[in-house]
Coordinates of all heavy atoms in Angstrom, one line a residue:
M1 N 4.4 -5.4 -13.9 CA 4.3 -5.1 -12.5 C 5.7 -4.7 -12.0 O 6.7 -5.3 -12.5 CB 3.7 -6.2 -11.7 CG 2.1 -6.3 -12.0 SD 1.2 -7.3 -10.9 CE 1.8 -8.9 -11.3
K2 N 5.7 -3.9 -10.9 CA 7.0 -3.5 -10.3 C 6.9 -3.8 -8.8 O 5.8 -3.8 -8.2 CB 7.2 -2.1 -10.5 CG 7.3 -1.6 -11.9 CD 8.5 -2.1 -12.5 CE 8.7 -1.6 -13.9 NZ 10.0 -2.0 -14.5
T3 N 8.0 -4.0 -8.1 CA 8.0 -4.1 -6.7 C 8.3 -2.7 -6.2 O 8.9 -1.9 -6.9 CB 9.1 -5.1 -6.2 OG1 10.4 -4.7 -6.7 CG2 8.8 -6.5 -6.6
I4 N 7.8 -2.4 -5.0 CA 8.0 -1.0 -4.4 C 8.4 -1.2 -3.0 O 8.2 -2.2 -2.4 CB 6.7 -0.2 -4.6 CG1 5.4 -1.0 -3.9 CG2 6.3 0.1 -6.0 CD1 4.2 -0.2 -3.8
S5 N 8.9 -0.1 -2.4 CA 9.1 0.0 -1.0 C 7.8 -0.1 -0.4 O 6.8 0.4 -0.8 CB 9.8 1.3 -0.6 OG 11.1 1.3 -1.1
P6 N 7.6 -0.9 0.8 CA 6.4 -1.1 1.4 C 5.6 0.2 1.7 O 6.2 1.2 2.2 CB 6.7 -1.8 2.7 CG 8.0 -2.5 2.4 CD 8.7 -1.6 1.5
I7 N 4.3 0.1 1.4 CA 3.4 1.3 1.7 C 2.3 0.7 2.6 O 1.6 -0.3 2.2 CB 2.8 1.8 0.4 CG1 3.8 2.4 -0.5 CG2 1.7 2.8 0.7 CD1 4.5 3.7 0.0
Q8 N 2.0 1.4 3.7 CA 1.0 1.0 4.6 C -0.4 1.6 4.2 O -0.4 2.8 3.7 CB 1.2 1.5 6.0 CG 2.3 0.8 6.7 CD 2.1 -0.8 6.9 OE1 2.9 -1.5 6.4 NE2 1.0 -1.1 7.5
S9 N -1.5 0.8 4.2 CA -2.8 1.4 3.9 C -3.8 0.7 4.8 O -3.4 -0.2 5.6 CB -3.1 0.9 2.4 OG -4.4 1.5 2.0
W10 N -5.0 1.1 4.8 CA -6.1 0.6 5.6 C -7.2 0.0 4.8 O -7.7 0.8 3.9 CB -6.6 1.6 6.6 CG -5.6 2.0 7.6 CD1 -4.7 3.0 7.5 CD2 -5.3 1.5 8.9 NE1 -3.8 3.1 8.6 CE2 -4.2 2.1 9.5 CE3 -5.9 0.4 9.6 CZ2 -3.8 1.8 10.7 CZ3 -5.4 0.1 10.8 CH2 -4.3 0.7 11.4
I11 N -7.7 -1.1 5.1 CA -8.9 -1.7 4.5 C -9.7 -2.3 5.6 O -9.2 -3.1 6.3 CB -8.5 -2.8 3.4 CG1 -7.8 -2.2 2.2 CG2 -9.8 -3.5 3.0 CD1 -7.3 -3.2 1.2
N12 N -10.9 -1.8 5.7 CA -11.9 -2.3 6.8 C -11.3 -2.4 8.1 O -11.3 -3.4 8.8 CB -12.4 -3.7 6.4 CG -13.2 -3.7 5.1 OD1 -13.8 -2.8 4.7 ND2 -13.1 -4.8 4.3
V13 N -10.6 -1.2 8.5 CA -10.0 -1.1 9.8 C -8.9 -2.0 10.0 O -8.6 -2.3 11.2 CB -11.1 -1.2 11.0 CG1 -10.6 -0.5 12.2 CG2 -12.4 -0.6 10.5
K14 N -8.3 -2.5 9.0 CA -7.1 -3.4 9.1 C -5.9 -2.8 8.3 O -6.1 -2.4 7.2 CB -7.5 -4.8 8.6 CG -6.4 -5.8 8.6 CD -6.9 -7.1 8.0 CE -5.7 -8.1 7.9 NZ -6.0 -9.3 7.1
S15 N -4.8 -2.9 8.9 CA -3.6 -2.4 8.3 C -3.1 -3.4 7.3 O -3.0 -4.6 7.6 CB -2.5 -2.1 9.3 OG -1.3 -1.7 8.7
V16 N -2.8 -2.9 6.1 CA -2.3 -3.8 5.0 C -1.0 -3.1 4.4 O -0.9 -1.9 4.5 CB -3.4 -4.1 3.9 CG1 -4.5 -4.9 4.4 CG2 -3.8 -2.8 3.3
T17 N -0.2 -3.9 3.9 CA 1.0 -3.4 3.2 C 1.1 -3.8 1.8 O 1.1 -4.9 1.4 CB 2.3 -4.0 4.0 OG1 2.1 -3.7 5.3 CG2 3.6 -3.5 3.4
A18 N 1.3 -2.7 1.0 CA 1.4 -2.9 -0.5 C 2.9 -3.0 -0.8 O 3.7 -2.2 -0.3 CB 0.8 -1.7 -1.2
T19 N 3.2 -4.0 -1.6 CA 4.7 -4.1 -2.0 C 4.8 -4.3 -3.5 O 5.9 -4.4 -4.1 CB 5.3 -5.4 -1.4 OG1 4.5 -6.5 -1.7 CG2 5.4 -5.1 0.1
I20 N 3.6 -4.2 -4.2 CA 3.6 -4.4 -5.7 C 2.8 -3.3 -6.4 O 1.7 -3.0 -5.9 CB 3.1 -5.8 -6.1 CG1 3.9 -6.9 -5.4 CG2 3.0 -6.1 -7.6 CD1 3.3 -8.3 -5.4
F21 N 3.3 -2.8 -7.4 CA 2.7 -1.7 -8.2 C 2.3 -2.2 -9.6 O 3.2 -2.7 -10.3 CB 3.7 -0.5 -8.2 CG 3.2 0.7 -9.0 CD1 2.0 1.1 -9.2 CD2 4.2 1.4 -9.7 CE1 1.6 2.2 -9.9 CE2 3.9 2.5 -10.5 CZ 2.5 2.9 -10.6
N22 N 1.0 -2.2 -10.0 CA 0.6 -2.6 -11.3 C 0.0 -1.4 -12.0 O -0.7 -0.5 -11.3 CB -0.4 -3.7 -11.2 CG -0.7 -4.3 -12.5 OD1 0.1 -4.4 -13.4 ND2 -1.9 -4.9 -12.6
M23 N 0.2 -1.3 -13.3 CA -0.4 -0.1 -14.0 C -0.6 -0.6 -15.5 O 0.2 -1.3 -16.0 CB 0.6 1.0 -13.9 CG 0.1 2.2 -14.6 SD 1.3 3.6 -14.4 CE 2.6 3.2 -15.5
Y24 N -1.6 0.0 -16.1 CA -1.8 -0.2 -17.5 C -2.6 0.9 -18.1 O -3.3 1.7 -17.4 CB -2.4 -1.6 -17.9 CG -3.7 -1.9 -17.2 CD1 -4.9 -1.5 -17.7 CD2 -3.7 -2.6 -16.0 CE1 -6.1 -1.9 -17.1 CE2 -4.9 -2.9 -15.4 CZ -6.1 -2.5 -16.0 OH -7.3 -2.9 -15.3
V25 N -2.4 1.2 -19.4 CA -3.1 2.3 -20.1 C -4.5 1.9 -20.3 O -4.9 0.8 -20.7 CB -2.4 2.5 -21.5 CG1 -3.3 3.5 -22.3 CG2 -1.0 2.9 -21.4
I26 N -5.5 2.8 -20.0 CA -6.9 2.6 -20.2 C -7.5 3.5 -21.3 O -8.6 3.4 -21.6 CB -7.7 2.7 -18.9 CG1 -7.5 4.1 -18.3 CG2 -7.3 1.6 -17.9 CD1 -8.4 4.3 -17.0
G27 N -6.7 4.4 -21.8 CA -7.2 5.4 -22.8 C -6.3 6.5 -23.0 O -5.2 6.5 -22.5
G28 N -6.8 7.5 -23.8 CA -6.0 8.7 -24.1 C -6.4 9.3 -25.4 O -7.2 8.9 -26.1
V29 N -5.7 10.4 -25.6 CA -5.8 11.1 -26.9 C -4.4 11.2 -27.6 O -3.5 11.7 -27.0 CB -6.3 12.6 -26.7 CG1 -6.5 13.3 -27.9 CG2 -7.7 12.6 -25.9
I30 N -4.4 10.6 -28.8 CA -3.1 10.5 -29.5 C -2.5 11.8 -29.6 O -3.1 12.8 -30.0 CB -3.3 9.8 -30.8 CG1 -3.7 8.4 -30.7 CG2 -1.9 9.9 -31.6 CD1 -4.0 7.6 -31.9
G31 N -1.2 11.9 -29.2 CA -0.5 13.2 -29.3 C -0.7 14.2 -28.2 O -0.2 15.3 -28.1
S32 N -1.6 13.8 -27.2 CA -2.0 14.7 -26.1 C -1.9 14.2 -24.7 O -1.3 14.9 -23.8 CB -3.4 15.2 -26.4 OG -3.8 16.0 -25.4
S33 N -2.5 13.0 -24.5 CA -2.5 12.5 -23.1 C -2.7 11.0 -23.1 O -3.1 10.4 -24.1 CB -3.7 13.2 -22.4 OG -4.9 12.8 -22.9
A34 N -2.4 10.4 -22.0 CA -2.7 9.0 -21.7 C -3.3 8.9 -20.3 O -2.9 9.5 -19.4 CB -1.4 8.2 -21.8
S35 N -4.2 7.9 -20.3 CA -4.9 7.6 -19.0 C -4.5 6.3 -18.5 O -4.4 5.3 -19.3 CB -6.4 7.6 -19.1 OG -6.9 8.9 -19.5
F36 N -4.1 6.1 -17.2 CA -3.6 4.9 -16.7 C -4.5 4.5 -15.5 O -4.9 5.3 -14.8 CB -2.2 5.0 -16.1 CG -1.1 5.4 -17.2 CD1 -0.9 6.7 -17.4 CD2 -0.5 4.4 -17.9 CE1 0.0 7.0 -18.4 CE2 0.4 4.8 -18.8 CZ 0.7 6.1 -19.1
Y37 N -4.7 3.2 -15.4 CA -5.3 2.6 -14.1 C -4.1 2.0 -13.4 O -3.2 1.3 -13.9 CB -6.2 1.5 -14.5 CG -6.7 0.6 -13.3 CD1 -7.6 1.0 -12.4 CD2 -6.1 -0.6 -13.0 CE1 -8.0 0.3 -11.3 CE2 -6.4 -1.3 -11.9 CZ -7.4 -0.8 -11.0 OH -7.6 -1.6 -9.9
Y38 N -4.1 2.2 -12.1 CA -3.0 1.6 -11.2 C -3.6 0.9 -10.1 O -4.7 1.2 -9.6 CB -2.0 2.7 -10.7 CG -2.5 3.6 -9.7 CD1 -2.5 3.2 -8.3 CD2 -3.2 4.8 -10.0 CE1 -3.0 4.1 -7.4 CE2 -3.7 5.6 -9.0 CZ -3.6 5.2 -7.7 OH -4.1 6.0 -6.7
S39 N -2.9 0.0 -9.5 CA -3.3 -0.7 -8.3 C -2.0 -1.0 -7.5 O -1.0 -1.3 -8.1 CB -4.1 -2.0 -8.6 OG -3.4 -2.8 -9.4
L40 N -2.2 -1.0 -6.2 CA -1.1 -1.3 -5.3 C -1.6 -2.6 -4.7 O -2.7 -2.7 -4.2 CB -0.9 -0.3 -4.2 CG -0.6 1.1 -4.8 CD1 -0.4 2.1 -3.6 CD2 0.7 1.1 -5.6
L41 N -0.7 -3.7 -4.7 CA -1.1 -5.0 -4.3 C -0.2 -5.5 -3.0 O 0.9 -5.0 -3.0 CB -0.9 -5.9 -5.4 CG -1.5 -5.6 -6.8 CD1 -1.1 -6.5 -7.9 CD2 -3.0 -5.6 -6.7
D42 N -0.7 -6.4 -2.2 CA 0.0 -6.9 -1.2 C 0.8 -8.1 -1.8 O 0.7 -8.4 -2.9 CB -0.8 -7.3 0.0 CG -1.8 -8.4 -0.1 OD1 -1.8 -9.1 -1.1 OD2 -2.6 -8.6 0.8
S43 N 1.5 -8.8 -1.0 CA 2.4 -10.0 -1.4 C 1.5 -11.1 -2.0 O 2.0 -12.0 -2.7 CB 3.3 -10.4 -0.3 OG 2.5 -10.9 0.8
D44 N 0.2 -11.2 -1.6 CA -0.7 -12.2 -2.1 C -1.4 -11.7 -3.3 O -2.4 -12.4 -3.7 CB -1.7 -12.6 -1.0 CG -1.0 -13.3 0.2 OD1 -0.1 -14.1 -0.1 OD2 -1.4 -13.0 1.3
L45 N -1.1 -10.6 -3.9 CA -1.7 -10.0 -5.1 C -3.1 -9.5 -4.8 O -3.9 -9.4 -5.7 CB -1.6 -10.9 -6.3 CG -0.2 -11.4 -6.6 CD1 -0.2 -12.3 -7.9 CD2 0.7 -10.2 -7.0
I46 N -3.4 -9.2 -3.6 CA -4.7 -8.6 -3.2 C -4.6 -7.1 -3.4 O -3.7 -6.5 -2.8 CB -5.1 -9.0 -1.8 CG1 -5.3 -10.6 -1.8 CG2 -6.3 -8.3 -1.3 CD1 -5.6 -11.2 -0.4
N47 N -5.6 -6.5 -4.0 CA -5.6 -5.1 -4.2 C -5.8 -4.3 -2.9 O -6.9 -4.5 -2.3 CB -6.7 -4.8 -5.3 CG -6.6 -3.4 -5.8 OD1 -5.8 -2.6 -5.4 ND2 -7.6 -3.0 -6.6
V48 N -5.0 -3.4 -2.6 CA -5.2 -2.6 -1.3 C -5.4 -1.2 -1.6 O -5.8 -0.4 -0.7 CB -3.9 -2.8 -0.4 CG1 -3.8 -4.3 0.0 CG2 -2.6 -2.3 -0.9
A49 N -5.1 -0.7 -2.9 CA -5.4 0.7 -3.3 C -5.4 0.7 -4.8 O -4.7 -0.1 -5.5 CB -4.4 1.6 -2.7
Q50 N -6.2 1.6 -5.4 CA -6.3 1.7 -6.8 C -6.7 3.2 -7.2 O -7.2 3.9 -6.4 CB -7.3 0.7 -7.4 CG -8.7 1.0 -6.8 CD -9.6 -0.1 -7.2 OE1 -9.2 -1.3 -7.4 NE2 -10.9 0.1 -7.2
G51 N -6.5 3.4 -8.5 CA -7.0 4.7 -8.9 C -6.6 4.9 -10.4 O -6.1 4.0 -11.1
N52 N -6.8 6.2 -10.9 CA -6.4 6.5 -12.3 C -5.4 7.7 -12.3 O -5.5 8.5 -11.4 CB -7.7 6.9 -13.0 CG -8.6 5.7 -13.2 OD1 -8.2 4.6 -13.5 ND2 -9.9 6.0 -13.0
L53 N -4.6 7.7 -13.3 CA -3.7 8.9 -13.5 C -3.8 9.3 -14.9 O -4.0 8.5 -15.8 CB -2.2 8.5 -13.2 CG -1.9 8.0 -11.8 CD1 -0.5 7.4 -11.7 CD2 -1.9 9.2 -10.8
I54 N -3.6 10.6 -15.2 CA -3.6 11.1 -16.5 C -2.3 11.8 -16.7 O -1.9 12.7 -16.0 CB -4.8 12.1 -16.7 CG1 -6.1 11.4 -16.6 CG2 -4.7 12.8 -18.1 CD1 -7.3 12.3 -16.7
M55 N -1.6 11.4 -17.8 CA -0.3 11.9 -18.1 C -0.6 12.8 -19.3 O -1.1 12.4 -20.3 CB 0.7 10.9 -18.5 CG 2.0 11.4 -19.1 SD 3.0 10.1 -19.9 CE 3.6 9.2 -18.4
S56 N -0.2 14.1 -19.2 CA -0.3 15.1 -20.3 C 0.8 16.1 -20.3 O 1.8 16.0 -19.5 CB -1.7 15.8 -20.2 OG -1.7 16.5 -19.0
G57 N 0.8 17.0 -21.2 CA 1.8 18.1 -21.3 C 3.2 17.7 -21.6 O 3.4 16.7 -22.4
E58 N 4.1 18.2 -20.8 CA 5.5 17.8 -21.0 C 5.8 16.3 -20.6 O 6.6 15.7 -21.2 CB 6.4 18.7 -20.0 CG 6.6 20.2 -20.5 CD 7.4 20.9 -19.7 OE1 8.4 20.4 -19.1 OE2 7.3 22.2 -19.6
A59 N 5.1 15.8 -19.6 CA 5.3 14.4 -19.2 C 4.9 13.5 -20.4 O 5.7 12.6 -20.7 CB 4.4 14.1 -18.0
Y60 N 3.8 13.8 -21.0 CA 3.4 12.9 -22.2 C 4.3 13.1 -23.3 O 4.7 12.1 -23.9 CB 1.9 13.4 -22.6 CG 1.4 12.5 -23.8 CD1 0.9 11.3 -23.5 CD2 1.5 12.9 -25.1 CE1 0.5 10.5 -24.6 CE2 1.1 12.2 -26.1 CZ 0.5 10.9 -25.9 OH 0.1 10.2 -26.9
A61 N 4.8 14.3 -23.6 CA 5.7 14.6 -24.7 C 7.0 13.8 -24.4 O 7.6 13.3 -25.3 CB 6.0 16.0 -24.9
G62 N 7.4 13.6 -23.2 CA 8.7 12.9 -22.8 C 8.6 11.5 -22.8 O 9.6 10.8 -22.9
W63 N 7.4 10.9 -22.9 CA 7.1 9.5 -22.7 C 7.7 8.7 -23.9 O 8.5 7.8 -23.8 CB 5.7 9.2 -22.5 CG 5.3 7.7 -22.5 CD1 6.1 6.7 -22.3 CD2 4.0 7.2 -22.5 NE1 5.4 5.5 -22.2 CE2 4.1 5.8 -22.4 CE3 2.7 7.8 -22.7 CZ2 2.9 5.0 -22.4 CZ3 1.6 6.9 -22.8 CH2 1.7 5.6 -22.6
G64 N 7.4 9.2 -25.1 CA 7.7 8.5 -26.3 C 7.3 7.0 -26.3 O 6.1 6.8 -26.1
N65 N 8.2 6.1 -26.5 CA 7.9 4.7 -26.4 C 8.6 3.9 -25.3 O 8.8 2.7 -25.3 CB 8.1 4.0 -27.8 CG 9.6 4.0 -28.1 OD1 10.4 4.5 -27.5 ND2 9.8 3.3 -29.3
D66 N 9.0 4.7 -24.3 CA 9.9 4.2 -23.2 C 9.0 3.9 -22.0 O 8.6 4.8 -21.2 CB 10.9 5.2 -22.8 CG 11.8 4.7 -21.6 OD1 11.6 3.6 -21.2 OD2 12.6 5.5 -21.2
D67 N 8.5 2.6 -21.8 CA 7.6 2.2 -20.8 C 8.2 2.5 -19.4 O 7.4 2.9 -18.4 CB 7.2 0.8 -20.9 CG 6.3 0.5 -22.1 OD1 5.7 1.5 -22.6 OD2 6.1 -0.7 -22.4
E68 N 9.5 2.5 -19.2 CA 10.1 2.7 -17.9 C 9.9 4.2 -17.5 O 9.6 4.6 -16.3 CB 11.6 2.4 -17.9 CG 11.9 1.0 -18.0 CD 11.2 0.1 -16.9 OE1 11.3 0.5 -15.7 OE2 10.7 -1.0 -17.2
Y69 N 9.8 5.1 -18.5 CA 9.5 6.5 -18.3 C 8.1 6.6 -17.6 O 7.9 7.3 -16.7 CB 9.5 7.2 -19.5 CG 9.2 8.7 -19.4 CD1 10.1 9.7 -19.2 CD2 7.9 9.1 -19.6 CE1 9.8 11.0 -19.0 CE2 7.5 10.4 -19.4 CZ 8.5 11.4 -19.2 OH 8.1 12.7 -19.1
A70 N 7.1 5.8 -18.2 CA 5.8 5.9 -17.7 C 5.7 5.3 -16.3 O 5.0 5.9 -15.4 CB 4.8 5.1 -18.6
W71 N 6.4 4.2 -16.0 CA 6.4 3.7 -14.7 C 7.0 4.7 -13.6 O 6.5 4.9 -12.5 CB 7.3 2.4 -14.7 CG 6.6 1.2 -15.1 CD1 6.9 0.5 -16.3 CD2 5.5 0.4 -14.5 NE1 6.0 -0.6 -16.5 CE2 5.3 -0.7 -15.4 CE3 4.8 0.5 -13.3 CZ2 4.3 -1.6 -15.0 CZ3 3.9 -0.4 -13.0 CH2 3.6 -1.5 -13.9
D72 N 8.2 5.3 -14.0 CA 8.8 6.3 -13.1 C 7.9 7.5 -12.9 O 7.8 8.0 -11.8 CB 10.2 6.6 -13.7 CG 11.2 5.5 -13.7 OD1 11.0 4.6 -12.9 OD2 12.2 5.6 -14.4
W73 N 7.2 8.0 -13.9 CA 6.4 9.1 -13.8 C 5.2 8.8 -12.9 O 4.9 9.6 -12.0 CB 5.8 9.5 -15.2 CG 4.8 10.6 -15.2 CD1 5.0 12.0 -15.1 CD2 3.3 10.4 -15.0 NE1 3.8 12.6 -14.9 CE2 2.7 11.6 -15.0 CE3 2.6 9.2 -15.1 CZ2 1.4 11.8 -14.9 CZ3 1.2 9.4 -15.0 CH2 0.6 10.6 -14.9
A74 N 4.6 7.7 -13.0 CA 3.4 7.3 -12.2 C 3.9 7.1 -10.7 O 3.2 7.5 -9.8 CB 2.8 6.0 -12.7
A75 N 5.1 6.5 -10.5 CA 5.6 6.3 -9.2 C 5.8 7.6 -8.6 O 5.5 7.9 -7.3 CB 6.9 5.5 -9.2
E76 N 6.4 8.6 -9.3 CA 6.5 9.9 -8.7 C 5.2 10.6 -8.3 O 5.1 11.2 -7.3 CB 7.3 10.8 -9.8 CG 7.6 12.2 -9.3 CD 8.4 13.0 -10.3 OE1 9.3 12.5 -10.9 OE2 8.1 14.2 -10.4
Q77 N 4.2 10.4 -9.2 CA 2.9 11.0 -8.9 C 2.3 10.4 -7.6 O 1.6 11.1 -6.9 CB 1.9 10.7 -10.1 CG 2.4 11.2 -11.4 CD 2.7 12.7 -11.4 OE1 1.9 13.6 -11.0 NE2 3.9 13.0 -11.7
L78 N 2.6 9.2 -7.3 CA 2.0 8.4 -6.2 C 3.0 8.4 -5.0 O 2.6 7.8 -4.0 CB 1.7 7.0 -6.6 CG 0.6 6.9 -7.8 CD1 0.5 5.5 -8.2 CD2 -0.8 7.5 -7.2
N79 N 4.1 9.0 -5.2 CA 5.1 9.0 -4.1 C 5.5 7.6 -3.7 O 5.6 7.2 -2.6 CB 4.6 9.7 -2.9 CG 5.7 10.2 -1.9 OD1 6.9 10.4 -2.3 ND2 5.5 10.3 -0.7
L80 N 5.8 6.8 -4.8 CA 6.3 5.4 -4.5 C 7.8 5.3 -4.9 O 8.2 6.0 -5.8 CB 5.5 4.4 -5.4 CG 4.0 4.5 -5.3 CD1 3.4 3.5 -6.4 CD2 3.6 4.0 -3.9
T81 N 8.5 4.3 -4.3 CA 9.8 4.0 -4.8 C 9.8 2.7 -5.4 O 9.5 1.6 -4.7 CB 10.7 4.0 -3.5 OG1 10.6 5.4 -2.9 CG2 12.1 3.8 -3.9
I82 N 10.1 2.6 -6.6 CA 10.2 1.3 -7.3 C 11.5 0.7 -7.0 O 12.5 1.3 -7.1 CB 10.0 1.5 -8.9 CG1 8.7 2.0 -9.3 CG2 10.4 0.2 -9.6 CD1 8.4 2.4 -10.7
T83 N 11.4 -0.6 -6.6 CA 12.7 -1.3 -6.2 C 13.1 -2.4 -7.2 O 14.2 -2.9 -7.2 CB 12.5 -2.0 -4.8 OG1 11.4 -2.9 -4.9 CG2 12.3 -1.0 -3.7
G84 N 12.2 -2.7 -8.2 CA 12.6 -3.7 -9.2 C 11.3 -4.1 -10.0 O 10.2 -3.7 -9.8
D85 N 11.6 -5.1 -10.9 CA 10.5 -5.7 -11.6 C 9.9 -6.8 -10.8 O 10.7 -7.6 -10.1 CB 11.0 -6.3 -13.0 CG 11.3 -5.2 -13.9 OD1 10.7 -4.2 -14.0 OD2 12.4 -5.5 -14.7
Y86 N 8.6 -7.0 -10.8 CA 7.9 -8.1 -10.1 C 8.2 -9.4 -10.8 O 8.0 -9.5 -12.0 CB 6.5 -7.8 -10.0 CG 5.7 -9.0 -9.4 CD1 5.8 -9.3 -8.0 CD2 5.0 -9.8 -10.2 CE1 5.1 -10.4 -7.5 CE2 4.3 -10.9 -9.6 CZ 4.4 -11.2 -8.2 OH 3.7 -12.3 -7.8
V87 N 8.7 -10.4 -10.0 CA 8.9 -11.7 -10.6 C 8.0 -12.7 -9.8 O 8.2 -12.8 -8.6 CB 10.3 -12.1 -10.5 CG1 10.6 -13.5 -11.0 CG2 11.3 -11.2 -11.2
P88 N 7.0 -13.3 -10.5 CA 6.1 -14.1 -9.8 C 6.9 -15.3 -9.2 O 7.8 -15.8 -9.8 CB 5.1 -14.6 -10.8 CG 5.5 -14.1 -12.1 CD 6.7 -13.2 -11.9
P89 N 6.4 -15.8 -8.0 CA 7.1 -16.9 -7.4 C 6.9 -18.1 -8.3 O 5.9 -18.3 -9.0 CB 6.3 -17.1 -6.1 CG 5.2 -16.2 -6.1 CD 5.3 -15.2 -7.2
V90 N 7.9 -19.0 -8.3 CA 7.9 -20.2 -9.1 C 7.3 -21.3 -8.2 O 7.7 -21.6 -7.1 CB 9.3 -20.6 -9.5 CG1 9.3 -22.0 -10.3 CG2 9.9 -19.5 -10.3
P91 N 6.2 -21.9 -8.7 CA 5.6 -23.0 -7.8 C 6.5 -24.2 -7.7 O 7.3 -24.5 -8.5 CB 4.3 -23.4 -8.7 CG 4.4 -22.7 -9.9 CD 5.5 -21.7 -9.9
E92 N 6.4 -24.7 -6.5 CA 7.3 -25.9 -6.2 C 6.8 -27.1 -7.0 O 5.6 -27.4 -7.2 CB 7.1 -26.2 -4.7 CG 8.0 -27.3 -4.3 CD 7.8 -27.6 -2.8 OE1 7.5 -26.7 -2.0 OE2 8.0 -28.8 -2.4
V93 N 7.7 -27.8 -7.7 CA 7.5 -28.9 -8.5 C 7.3 -30.1 -7.6 O 8.1 -30.4 -6.8 CB 8.6 -29.2 -9.5 CG1 8.3 -30.4 -10.3 CG2 8.8 -27.9 -10.4
V94 N 6.1 -30.7 -7.7 CA 5.8 -32.0 -7.0 C 6.1 -33.1 -7.9 O 5.5 -33.2 -9.0 CB 4.4 -31.9 -6.5 CG1 4.1 -33.2 -5.7 CG2 4.1 -30.7 -5.6
E95 N 7.0 -34.0 -7.5 CA 7.3 -35.1 -8.3 C 6.2 -36.2 -8.2 O 5.8 -36.6 -7.1 CB 8.6 -35.7 -7.8 CG 9.5 -36.2 -9.0 CD 10.8 -36.6 -8.5 OE1 11.6 -35.7 -8.1 OE2 11.1 -37.8 -8.5
E96 N 5.8 -36.7 -9.3 CA 4.8 -37.8 -9.3 C 5.5 -39.1 -9.1 O 6.5 -39.4 -9.6 CB 4.1 -37.9 -10.6 CG 2.6 -37.5 -10.5 CD 1.9 -37.7 -11.8 OE1 1.6 -38.8 -12.2 OE2 1.7 -36.7 -12.5
V97 N 4.9 -39.9 -8.1 CA 5.5 -41.2 -7.8 C 4.6 -42.3 -8.6 O 3.3 -42.3 -8.3 CB 5.5 -41.5 -6.3 CG1 6.1 -42.8 -6.1 CG2 6.4 -40.4 -5.7
A98 N 5.1 -43.1 -9.4 CA 4.4 -44.2 -10.1 C 4.0 -45.2 -9.1 O 4.8 -45.6 -8.2 CB 5.2 -44.7 -11.2
P99 N 2.8 -45.7 -9.1 CA 2.3 -46.8 -8.2 C 3.1 -48.0 -8.5 O 3.5 -48.3 -9.6 CB 0.9 -46.9 -8.6 CG 0.6 -46.2 -9.8 CD 1.7 -45.3 -10.0
T100 N 3.3 -48.7 -7.5 CA 4.1 -50.0 -7.6 C 3.1 -51.2 -7.4 O 2.1 -51.0 -6.6 CB 5.2 -50.1 -6.6 OG1 4.7 -50.0 -5.3 CG2 6.3 -49.0 -6.8
N101 N 3.4 -52.3 -8.0 CA 2.6 -53.4 -7.9 C 3.1 -54.2 -6.6 O 4.2 -54.7 -6.7 CB 2.7 -54.3 -9.1 CG 1.3 -54.7 -9.6 OD1 0.4 -54.6 -8.9 ND2 1.3 -55.3 -10.8
S102 N 2.3 -54.4 -5.6 CA 2.8 -55.0 -4.4 C 2.3 -56.5 -4.3 O 2.2 -57.1 -3.3 CB 2.3 -54.3 -3.1 OG 0.9 -54.2 -3.2
I103 N 2.0 -57.1 -5.4 CA 1.5 -58.5 -5.4 C 2.7 -59.5 -5.4 O 3.7 -59.4 -6.0 CB 0.6 -58.8 -6.6 CG1 -0.7 -57.8 -6.5 CG2 0.2 -60.2 -6.6 CD1 -1.7 -58.0 -7.6

């Protein structure tokens, strides 16, 4: 997943902001094309937009095995600006307190 410059969207007459871009391969034809599923997520990882993209022709030929190329290509197709890699928040560690004997 990647972080992106905020994108406004609407869901059920409510404005939402996507800040995370997720994408993965869902199919393709070897040597010809690749199909991707993408989703735009808000900061709570709730899907605010989704769809499919097909990479073919020169774009597919340029992909090779460079995943960053695929991310950049998809971002360009969707008019997104990637700002970095998504790093999930680290949960706060809660220290366990051992019970004491009060007798």
